[in-house]
Amino acid sequence: WLVIDRKVYDVSRFSKHHPGGSRVISHYAGQDATDAFVAFHSDKSLVKKYLKSLLIGELAPDQPSFESNKKKSLLEDFRELRCTIEKMGLLTPNYTFFFLIFLHLLVLDAASWLVVWYFGISLVPFLVGMAFFTIAQIQMGWFQHDLGHCSVFRKPKWNRLLQIVVINVLKGLPASWWNHLHNQHHAKPNCFRKDPDLNMHPLLFSLGKTLSVEPGIRTTLGRVLCLQLAHYNVFSFFSSEKRRRSSCLTIISISISSVS
């Protein structure tokens, strides 16, 4: 079971058929999932129709609708901030911007192959082509990231179709695999054992102390876990230098996992 807007739902069977994957729901088992529900579902009225059959009760009036390790004032601030951002129209997609992004990554990808084809595979053309190709691949990764969040088009199916073109065809990775992992990342950002971005290879990577801190929770090895701030990865408590180093390790680890 989990809680959404103080209502308790039994999602044991539904989790197996959840479009976002069963693990996203299981990460909130026995917890309040209101903020995650709002963040993940754009058409909330449609989703709530499916929730009616899963309703099993409501929280008692004296029962708080947030976890004991979270501050109520902080949760309220996050919710107010989200409403303000939506009213300001900052979450409205700019189609011209995304069109130019898609166009320039196609140009860079084509240029990388044309340079090698026209000038040969000597050192300088090879390095130039590799630079074009690398930049294009990185830009494709971020573009398909926005598509995976359904942030480009208003209709989810158009986001999914273009995401398949970008990540499946142009990058050679399955969109379903990436969505499955990334949904968990945003469900429990920076939470060790729940955020797939932190499931690095134990022989090649170490967590160190670059992760956010969850009060009173540490592993036996002294590795710091996470601070769940309304389940949004808005705040991070480590320096820019450590952030860059940790990001590089994360990118390499994801590349390895995509092959394995």
Side-chain angles (χ1 to χ4, degrees):
W1 60 268
L2 50 76
V3 178
I4 299 175
D5 290 330
R6 300 192 62 82
K7 295 182 179 181
V8 183
Y9 298 92
D10 183 358
V11 294
S12 302
R13 295 182 178 179
F14 174 77
S15 62
K16 299 178 181 179
H17 307 284
H18 183 231
S22 60
R23 289 190 181 182
V24 176
I25 291 183
S26 64
H27 290 337
Y28 281 93
Q31 300 179 16
D32 187 290
T34 302
D35 294 291
F37 176 81
V38 173
F40 275 90
H41 303 95
S42 56
D43 191 351
K44 300 172 187 60
S45 60
L46 175 63
V47 179
K48 287 184 177 180
K49 293 181 180 179
Y50 294 92
L51 290 177
K52 291 182 179 180
S53 61
L54 306 177
L55 181 65
I56 58 175
E58 295 187 22
L59 294 179
D62 59 341
Q63 180 68 32
S65 60
F66 56 91
E67 301 302 311
S68 58
N69 63 332
K70 302 183 182 72
K71 292 183 179 181
K72 183 179 180 180
S73 59
L74 187 60
L75 286 172
E76 293 175 347
D77 286 344
F78 268 113
R79 292 168 183 173
E80 182 180 354
L81 176 62
R82 179 182 179 87
C83 291
T84 302
I85 291 175
E86 289 179 342
K87 291 179 180 179
M88 295 175 63
L90 298 180
L91 300 182
T92 304
N94 186 324
Y95 295 116
T96 303
F97 169 79
F98 285 114
F99 172 76
L100 293 176
I101 289 291
F102 187 46
L103 179 63
H104 103 275
L105 63 86
L106 290 178
V107 171
L108 286 173
D109 188 63
S112 65
W113 296 103
L114 287 174
V115 168
V116 176
W117 173 77
Y118 186 79
F119 294 100
I121 56 174
S122 57
L123 181 59
V124 174
F126 177 77
L127 292 178
V128 173
M130 184 173 63
F132 285 157
F133 184 77
T134 302
I135 296 173
Q137 287 292 308
I138 294 174
Q139 292 296 321
M140 289 177 192
W142 288 115
F143 183 54
Q144 74 83 27
H145 170 274
D146 292 338
L147 291 166
H149 279 283
C150 297
S151 300
V152 179
F153 301 105
R154 293 184 178 180
K155 292 186 177 181
K157 66 177 182 180
W158 295 114
N159 287 283
R160 299 305 182 197
L161 287 174
L162 188 54
Q163 184 192 25
I164 290 174
V165 172
V166 176
I167 189 172
N168 288 45
V169 179
L170 298 178
K171 288 186 66 66
L173 296 173
S176 58
W177 166 82
W178 186 89
N179 290 331
H180 174 66
L181 295 180
H182 200 65
N183 285 339
Q184 296 179 66
H185 162 68
H186 278 285
K188 291 288 184 177
N190 295 339
C191 292
F192 189 47
R193 300 300 185 193
K194 291 188 176 182
D195 184 351
D197 287 5
L198 303 182
N199 295 338
M200 299 183 179
H201 196 288
L203 300 180
L204 300 177
F205 307 100
S206 60
L207 295 178
K209 296 182 179 180
T210 60
L211 296 180
S212 304
V213 180
E214 183 173 14
I217 300 182
R218 293 174 180 271
T219 63
T220 55
L221 297 177
R223 292 174 177 175
V224 181
L225 293 185
C226 63
L227 172 61
Q228 299 179 23
L229 299 176
H231 301 303
Y232 292 105
N233 50 348
V234 176
F235 294 115
S236 53
F237 300 94
F238 42 89
S239 67
S240 299
E241 179 182 358
K242 292 182 178 179
R243 175 192 287 267
R244 288 193 298 270
R245 183 166 64 246
S246 178
S247 298
C248 290
L249 293 178
T250 301
I251 293 172
I252 296 174
S253 177
I254 291 176
S255 299
I256 294 175
S257 65
S258 68
V259 176
S260 59

